[in-house]
Amino acid sequence: MRRTVYSVKFLGKWFFILPAIIFFIGMVVFPMIWSLSLSFYNWKAATGGAKVFIGLKNFYTILAKDVRFWGDLRFTLFYVGMTVLIELLLGLGLASLLNKKIPFRNFFRVIYLLPMTAPPIAVAFLWRMFLQPDVGIINQLLHKISLPAIKWTTDVSVAPWALVIVDIWEWTPFMFLGLLAALQSLPQEIYDAAAVDGASPLQAFIYVTIPMVMPIIVTLVLLRAIDAFKLFELVFGITGGGPGGSTESLSYYIYTSGLSYFDIGYSCALSWVFLIIVLFIAIFVLRLLRKEV
Amino acid sequence: MTQVSIRNIGKKLFIWIVLIIFAIWTVFPLIWAVATSFKTMTESYTLSLIPYLQFKPSWYAWNEIWGRMFGRVSKSLINSIVVAGLSSLFVLALGCLAGYALSRFVFEKWKNKDIATWILSLRMFPPVVVLIPIFLMMRTLYLLDTWRAIILVHMLYNLPLAVWLMMDFFNEIPEDIEESALIDGCSRFGAFVRISIPLSSSGLVAVYILSFIFSWSEFLFAVSLSYNKAITFPAMIAGALSVKGLDFARVSALTLLAITPPMILAVLMSKYLIRGLTFGAVKG
């Protein structure tokens, strides 16, 4: 409970909170409303066409006819699901293996933090260089040990995985460090108690450790999933959405249809559909994970 | 030697091996980029890592950057520093005020928790959904390709995080200290300026540096709203490399230049980074 000195009646509190709220209204609420109103129009600004009111037709086209949208949605969901799942398993594995007193703790922490502080577009260009099919080092290394070259960015079935690998490189340390912090905050006594009760280390891990760090796991998974949904830079830098649209994320689709083709009405409708999908999934995931806690 | 101590040594060795393998996997791409940036264009396609032994180091790529590309590189570096520096400063000011309000005052109709959740949700949704209207807004205001446009957008990007982290930091300061200052005749605003702000100074520095890093790295809005005068460094690289993407030496040098500043800052505040990235949920 707050103390009485911070009483409800103190009007100065508005001085503290209003600047931020006004800023958000100007930069988010207003643009979103504008975007909603534009999504009811057919407005192809590139050809200098006039704004024509077409009601819900944009939304109908997206949901019923737009193959590109559904393909991009499928890829985005694949990307989010795969990266989060693999990073969680790797992070959890590493964190439980290393849940001891770590030598040179700060040194290793700094090393592991490096990929996630790099600008994503720089990471993208770095990896485009490694993944390059002809002269990239990964294929050269594969050649050295006489394995066939992999068409990282030109094969429809490989390219999505190439992006997943880059994401895993960048964000596994985040899961690892977050989970390690959670594991190390648990008191040693609970393990002693579990051991006294005759639990094997594996049983202790499954029945004691996991439930206790579940809230942190939920938080980390949600943060990663929400971040992975925003996928843009890796697509922009590594594949450009190709080959054949197999690695195009929804963010990239909205960006190109809005700012390359200036199909303003349609891209605003796409934005709203995307927002609603993300909201639904966030609520759904939260419910699902809450039940298990 | 007893069996127990052998097992202990084995365990320690195992931890070391896992730590080192993971560290190599993490830094190897960066080390490779450093090596490649000191190669000539033809040598940049070869599998060689150790200078003098495997390849002859050359200043080719760095000479390109400081020579032929100097105008573009220096302009975009300055733009990035100004945009990140100023937007983080404004974010800090607004975030500090709002965070303090949410931590200390009681809001009734729209409860503190609701306001905080709303603000957090603004960071959660994909930024691309406001891209088109913000682009139109900036065009209408004649702000396309100006520092102001990018500063505003980066503030939008960082402010939710700043509010949450500052709220978290202020919550850690005991209210008694402010209370006694109020009893001694200090005004509420005075208590905020003279007591809460100095006590949370490490938090303020952490928030400033975090939002600097994020602003420096932000790409989607930078590439959409700036193209020439106000172009930021990441947007500039994207333009330069989409044309000449196969010159590995230059790709390496430019990406290293983009990676280094946030990396140095992150090393300086490595303790707060996980806390910042998780909105204060994990205190790593």
Side-chain angles (χ1 to χ4, degrees), chain A residues 1-3 5-8 10 12-17 19-21 23-32 34-35 38 43 45 94 97-98 100-106 108-123 125-130 132 135-137 140-141 144 165 168-169 171-174 176-178 181-182 216 219-220 223 226 229-230 232-233 236 250-252 254-255 258-259 262 264 267-268 271-272 274-275 278, chain B residues 11 14-16 18-20 22-23 25-30 32-33 36 45-47 94 97-98 100-108 110 112 115 118-119 122-140 152-153 155-156 159-160 163 171 175-176 178-179 182 188-189 192 213 216-220 223-224 234 237-238 241-242 245-246 248 251-252 255 258-259 262-263 266-267 270-271 273-274 277-279 281-284:
Chain A
M1 271 317 285
R2 307 276 170 210
R3 312 270 177 82
V5 275
Y6 305 107
S7 71
V8 182
F10 175 58
K13 68 186 179 188
W14 296 109
F15 164 82
F16 286 89
I17 194 86
I21 290 192
F23 178 79
F24 284 131
I25 290 174
M27 291 294 288
V28 182
V29 178
F30 169 70
M32 286 309 291
W34 196 12
S35 146
L38 284 173
W43 183 18
L94 283 166
L97 281 181
L98 299 175
K100 309 266 161 30
K101 206 170 167 290
I102 289 184
F104 299 103
R105 202 192 144 102
N106 281 329
F108 281 110
R109 176 162 58 191
V110 165
I111 295 275
Y112 299 146
L113 284 173
L114 293 181
M116 65 182 105
T117 55
I121 190 70
V123 171
F125 282 117
L126 211 58
W127 279 86
R128 182 171 76 173
M129 187 164 82
F130 301 146
Q132 215 281 336
V135 285
I137 58 160
Q140 286 198 48
L141 282 172
K144 266 254 163 90
I165 290 172
I168 289 171
W169 175 76
W171 289 103
T172 301
F174 168 75
F176 162 63
L177 291 171
I216 301 284
T219 312
L220 292 173
L223 284 173
I226 285 163
F229 259 108
K230 300 174 183 169
F232 176 74
E233 285 92 346
F236 188 101
L250 281 172
S251 290
Y252 194 75
I254 295 172
Y255 168 81
L259 296 181
F262 287 100
I264 304 288
S267 57
C268 283
S271 305
W272 269 92
F274 187 25
L275 178 66
V278 172
Chain B
K11 262 188 191 165
F14 175 73
I15 288 186
W16 270 103
V18 177
L19 278 174
I20 287 171
F22 189 39
W25 155 252
T26 309
V27 273
F28 182 73
L30 301 172
W32 189 272
T36 309
Y45 306 124
T46 58
L47 280 183
L94 290 183
L97 289 172
Y100 185 77
L102 291 173
S103 159
R104 288 292 191 266
F105 303 129
V106 180
F107 292 89
E108 274 196 316
W110 212 35
N112 292 40
I115 302 178
W118 179 66
I119 289 179
L122 296 178
R123 170 70 187 235
M124 294 301 172
F125 71 81
V128 76
V129 303
V130 286
L131 178 69
I132 312 299
I134 283 186
F135 175 85
L136 294 173
M137 214 164 90
M138 295 304 173
R139 197 190 59 164
T140 315
L152 279 172
V153 173
M155 281 173 69
L156 169 62
L159 189 51
V163 173
N171 278 339
E175 295 178 9
D176 309 344
E178 280 161 70
E179 213 168 296
L182 290 179
R188 266 166 229 264
F189 191 70
F192 169 66
I213 292 174
W216 179 279
S217 307
E218 201 282 331
F219 179 69
L220 174 63
V223 81
S224 308
I237 317 184
L241 294 187
S242 57
L246 267 179
F248 283 0
V251 172
S252 301
T255 49
I259 289 172
M263 215 166 253
V267 169
S270 62
K271 272 187 187 158
L273 204 66
I274 289 292
L277 286 167
T278 56
F279 294 81
V282 178
K283 297 188 168 70

